[in-house]
Amino acid sequence: STIMSVHNSVGCMPVLKYGTEEQKQRFLAPMARGEWLAAFCLTEPHAGTDAGAITTRAERRGDHYVLNGSKVPIFNADNPVFYVVWASSDMGRGRAGINAYIIPRQTPGITVGAYHDKPGLRCAPTQEVFFKDVRVPRSSLIGLPGSGYLLLMQTLDWGRAFFGAICVGLARAALAFETEGARDDAHGEGAQLPGELRDHRRRAGAGAAPLAGRHEDHVGALEDVAQLVLALHRGLVPDRRVGACAQAA
């Protein structure tokens, strides 16, 4: 679900909403057919939540851009046909200097680092992507010059809805798993569940409702997921089941 969320939301949507007709025909059609996979390259070692602080450069040279920098952590880093990359063409202009680019994975100068070990989401490979003198044509630019930061904020809004849905789904799956185990431990289908577990089950079960609204409304659903995780950590769920959930994730 994470791989497809990255692909569908922050991978496809910038091209769908702001790409040229040529970009849509070249990239979106194969993605819609399930033939190509996209990756989203925004975060950097010193630019995570503050997207305006990115230092990857895209220097304009005639009818091309030359990119230098790195992005981490990147889902699907070694598997996509292309990356959607955010880089600055003018560091002095801050956010106004940021642009988005479509860059094929096989472009010379792109390398990928070692796999990051994660406690969950193991099916979504996560690595660092390096750009060294990566030369791309001007036609790789998504949207108008200088519009990248606004495009990014709208792209992240779409992505938050996808990831909020994933979190609620994981919470429901974990609750279903533990509910079955708790009843087994209490010897019977009709056995009463612990009060705190019943409460988290109710709250996470209702957590999907806000996902149809604004992304700000997702906060409540995600807080419920966080409370569930805390309950698991405090020992409400036996260690053996926590380990099983981690392996499933």
Side-chain angles (χ1 to χ4, degrees):
S1 62
T2 301
I3 292 175
M4 291 312 301
S5 177
V6 170
H7 172 79
N8 288 332
S9 60
V10 294
C12 292
M13 291 303 287
V15 183
L16 177 64
K17 292 294 186 179
Y18 300 101
T20 64
E21 190 60 33
E22 178 186 356
Q23 289 171 340
K24 292 176 183 178
Q25 291 298 322
R26 179 181 176 187
F27 295 100
L28 283 184
M31 288 196 293
R33 293 193 298 264
E35 298 170 358
W36 288 8
L37 193 65
F40 176 73
C41 292
L42 168 65
T43 54
E44 300 179 359
H46 302 290
T49 55
D50 182 8
I54 62 175
T55 59
T56 296
R57 296 291 306 275
E59 182 183 352
R60 178 75 180 275
R61 297 182 187 175
D63 59 352
H64 285 74
Y65 290 94
V66 178
L67 279 78
N68 284 280
S70 66
K71 300 290 184 176
V72 65
I74 305 302
F75 282 138
N76 310 335
D78 203 23
N79 301 319
V81 171
F82 70 93
Y83 302 106
V84 177
V85 182
W86 267 262
S88 176
S89 59
D90 188 344
M91 301 292 288
R93 298 183 63 202
R95 295 174 177 176
I98 294 175
N99 290 310
Y101 305 86
I102 303 177
I103 304 180
R105 166 69 179 89
Q106 299 304 321
T107 303
I110 297 177
T111 56
V112 176
Y115 286 99
H116 290 203
D117 189 22
K118 307 190 299 295
L121 299 177
R122 293 179 179 273
C123 64
T126 305
Q127 297 158 270
E128 187 167 4
V129 181
F130 301 92
F131 303 89
K132 182 174 176 58
D133 295 328
V134 175
R135 185 179 176 87
V136 297
R138 188 177 179 183
S139 60
S140 298
L141 180 69
I142 304 175
L144 298 174
S147 67
Y149 188 78
L150 175 61
L151 190 160
L152 171 62
M153 293 298 102
Q154 294 176 339
T155 298
L156 291 178
D157 283 350
W158 298 318
R160 290 184 182 108
F162 276 86
F163 282 102
I166 289 173
C167 289
V168 172
L170 286 171
R172 285 180 162 181
L175 280 166
F177 185 82
E178 172 51 19
T179 297
E180 180 181 357
R183 283 177 173 151
D184 288 344
D185 291 344
H187 310 294
E189 176 67 25
Q192 186 74 3
L193 297 175
E196 189 173 2
L197 179 58
R198 291 199 308 273
D199 183 55
H200 287 308
R201 185 185 185 189
R202 175 186 58 79
R203 293 172 65 195
L211 296 176
R214 302 172 306 159
H215 73 80
E216 292 91 342
D217 296 330
H218 302 165
V219 173
L222 299 185
E223 286 177 346
D224 290 340
V225 175
Q227 289 298 321
L228 170 64
V229 172
L230 288 174
L232 299 177
H233 184 67
R234 288 199 304 269
L236 182 61
V237 177
D239 289 344
R240 65 181 182 277
R241 296 200 184 96
V242 174
C245 287
Q247 287 298 321

